[in-house]
Amino acid sequence: MNGSNYLLDTNFILGILKSNPAVIAEISSRSVYTSECFYSVITRMELLGYHGITADEECLIKEKLAHFTSCSLTSEIEEAVINLRKKRKYQVTGCNYCRNGTLFRP
């Protein structure tokens, strides 16, 4: 791997949790390691703040997130996402941003 770091959004992590074939294929084809994966504090709030989440689901999510690195939102990340949205017309929750500029879409 080339040392890329991937910032995964809520939908992509849900795809991992649900073993979505497209998400699993994307991870496999790129040989992505959990040590290269980050998630934002917003993603954590969305996943764990879901109305009606069960204790088992919360435990599973926390276990999965423990394999990734939590990434607070910095001005650099905010600007990168703003610029990407301007260029490609994506919604912030509609795609997975990577620090190297590559996009993952489940």
Side-chain angles (χ1 to χ4, degrees):
M1 190 66 189
N2 62 9
S4 298
N5 291 315
Y6 303 98
L7 180 58
L8 308 178
D9 83 347
T10 305
N11 291 327
F12 202 82
I13 293 175
L14 284 172
I16 293 169
L17 292 167
K18 294 179 179 182
S19 298
N20 178 298
V23 172
I24 301 306
E26 190 68 44
I27 291 170
S28 297
S29 71
R30 295 176 183 265
S31 300
V32 175
Y33 300 98
T34 56
S35 62
E36 300 171 321
C37 296
F38 294 76
Y39 64 91
S40 76
V41 294
I42 293 172
T43 294
R44 184 176 185 277
M45 289 185 289
E46 288 178 336
L47 291 169
L48 296 173
Y50 183 76
H51 179 74
I53 189 171
T54 67
D56 287 343
E57 290 169 333
E58 184 174 344
C59 185
L60 177 65
I61 291 167
K62 285 180 177 179
E63 286 175 9
K64 183 55 71 179
L65 292 180
H67 294 281
F68 306 137
T69 303
S70 177
C71 181
S72 60
L73 293 180
T74 64
S75 297
E76 179 182 313
I77 293 172
E78 290 175 18
E79 289 301 318
V81 172
I82 289 167
N83 290 330
L84 187 58
R85 288 193 67 207
K86 285 179 179 178
K87 291 178 186 173
R88 302 199 183 171
K89 300 181 184 177
Y90 287 125
Q91 293 182 11
V92 173
T93 58
C95 62
N96 300 282
Y97 299 98
C98 302
R99 288 185 176 179
N100 65 359
T102 305
L103 291 174
F104 283 167
R105 291 190 63 99

